[in-house]
Amino acid sequence: MVSVYTMNDGLTIPKVGFGTFKAADGEEAYQSTLEAIKAGYRHIDTAAYYRNEESVGRAIKDSGIARDELFVTTKLWNDAHSYEGAKAALAASLERLQLDYVDLYLIHWPNPKAIRDHWQEGNAEAWRYMEEAQKAGLIRSIGVSNFLVHHLEALAKTAKVTPAVNQIRLAPGCYQEEVVDYCRKHDIVIEAWGPLGQGEIFSNADMKALAEKYDKTVAQVALAWSLYEGFLPLPKSVHKDRIKENLDFTDIQLSAEDADAIRHLAGATPAPDPDTKDF
Ligand SMILES: NC(=O)c1ccc[n+]([C@@H]2O[C@H](COP(=O)([O-])OP(=O)(O)OC[C@H]3O[C@@H](n4cnc5c(N)ncnc54)[C@H](OP(=O)(O)O)[C@@H]3O)[C@@H](O)[C@H]2O)c1
């Protein structure tokens, strides 16, 4: 059983979540989400952008697990950074998921290309709706994703509620120190997307050596490092054996020296720059 973090709003969140990015809508997203819940995941991460909420929602429903035992996250995409946009986007996500509420709703991206000259206002307005939806019970916790320090500081100027979570790219060799430090200081749970380096860590010689040393797999060592740092990893797989493997790592006791080596692993893809990305 995976334990939980307590967020700054007092609610809890399972320390490992199941990622669904690129799990194709239909059988793939449905079966993999169902397998994940069967394997013991109680935290599912999807997004409107992934276009698989309908299949993920069906798997949640068919899993037979009580709704209040599952933690479900979805995200507001880049076409909805306004009060009315966020209202419509959340309603559409809830309908596709067939849920009355989500446990966590995130602003997926801080600086969409279409509103690059007024992203601060876009985030503030979407957030204003999210605070209302939280009060109305449509969302339990509200948070952000891919926010850097200047995005968090801009949001703080108008927000009544501090984000409970910031979901950012964090993987071996990809450690965003400035925003990680800010989130720790403000008691914001740091979720790690791409915790397996989106696949790139599997061919890394240093990661392979560490896997051998701990008698575990590369994926398991990377996930153990994520928890070591106090992050919340969201590994994705559509394969049953890997889905199970990615939950079987909490017995690993990384040494401080090895954790440091993983943090500084060479050759990792850096996190995308949210202020210049082409979407
Ligand atoms: N907020 C954001 O902007 C953002 C961006 C990206 C991702 N995310 C979230 O974070 C989750 C994780 O990120 P990600 O999916 O991009 O990357 P990831 O979890 O780091 O890596 C997934 C890749 O690793 C493979 N894999 C998984 N477990 C494996 C294992 N044990 N052995 C070998 N290969 C394995 C998967 O292949 P198979 O599926 O074929 O097994 C897939 O190709 C996403 O699914 C999504 O929920 C959020």
Side-chain angles (χ1 to χ4, degrees):
M1 199 61 182
V2 174
S3 58
V4 297
Y5 291 121
T6 299
M7 296 179 281
N8 59 22
D9 59 12
L11 298 173
T12 58
I13 182 169
K15 281 188 177 181
V16 180
F18 180 65
T20 64
F21 181 39
K22 294 192 178 159
D25 199 23
E27 271 310 285
E28 189 171 77
Y30 174 76
Q31 283 300 342
S32 57
T33 304
L34 206 54
E35 286 298 345
I37 297 171
K38 266 193 213 157
Y41 293 79
R42 289 294 177 267
H43 173 174
I44 314 290
D45 183 84
T46 183
Y49 178 62
Y50 305 165
R51 299 189 179 279
N52 59 17
E53 290 173 304
E54 193 269 331
S55 309
V56 168
R58 213 155 32 87
I60 288 169
K61 201 167 199 177
D62 291 352
S63 71
I65 301 295
R67 175 67 187 93
D68 62 0
E69 287 176 33
L70 289 171
F71 189 101
V72 183
T73 301
T74 194
K75 313 186 190 87
L76 173 114
W77 187 236
N78 288 0
D79 51 3
H81 285 229
S82 64
Y83 181 92
E84 289 300 333
K87 189 174 184 178
L90 176 65
S93 281
L94 288 173
E95 191 175 335
R96 284 189 293 265
L97 285 161
Q98 295 186 66
L99 295 176
D100 301 328
Y101 70 93
V102 283
D103 296 277
L104 180 62
Y105 197 53
L106 305 177
I107 298 181
H108 204 143
W109 197 256
N111 191 349
K113 193 178 176 195
I115 58 161
R116 205 139 274 171
D117 58 347
H118 61 286
W119 57 267
Q120 295 90 336
E121 185 192 332
N123 289 334
E125 284 298 290
W127 195 255
R128 187 163 66 83
Y129 173 68
M130 287 163 66
E131 289 174 337
E132 280 186 25
Q134 184 181 35
K135 273 198 189 137
L138 299 174
I139 310 170
R140 292 271 158 95
S141 297
I142 57 180
V144 296
S145 180
N146 298 298
F147 275 49
L148 301 178
V149 171
H150 61 285
H151 306 121
L152 289 162
E153 283 177 340
L155 185 65
K157 287 185 184 160
T158 53
K160 296 192 183 87
V161 176
T162 300
V165 162
N166 188 14
Q167 182 181 123
I168 57 178
R169 182 179 174 112
L170 292 163
C174 175
Y175 185 92
Q176 303 194 58
E177 189 166 358
E178 201 185 346
V179 66
V180 163
D181 287 350
Y182 180 96
C183 290
R184 285 185 177 143
K185 195 168 143 207
H186 290 83
D187 195 20
I188 296 170
V189 167
I190 305 162
E191 293 189 342
W193 70 251
L196 309 174
Q198 301 195 291
E200 72 181 14
I201 57 170
F202 297 106
S203 55
N204 184 286
D206 295 333
M207 287 302 293
K208 284 187 196 172
L210 284 168
E212 203 160 303
K213 175 175 171 184
Y214 287 93
D215 197 20
K216 285 282 185 174
T217 66
V218 165
Q220 290 167 333
V221 169
L223 296 168
W225 172 76
S226 206
L227 280 198
Y228 176 96
E229 291 285 358
F231 304 153
L232 190 160
L234 302 165
K236 171 263 178 185
S237 177
V238 295
H239 294 99
K240 189 176 172 178
D241 51 344
R242 293 176 176 175
I243 289 170
K244 286 188 179 163
E245 174 188 331
N246 294 346
L247 210 50
D248 177 24
F249 65 87
T250 50
D251 55 329
I252 301 176
Q253 300 279 338
L254 282 183
S255 71
E257 195 186 357
D258 289 337
D260 191 63
I262 296 172
R263 186 197 282 206
H264 296 103
L265 199 78
T269 299
D273 178 359
D275 293 323
T276 56
K277 194 86 182 166
D278 193 26
F279 54 65

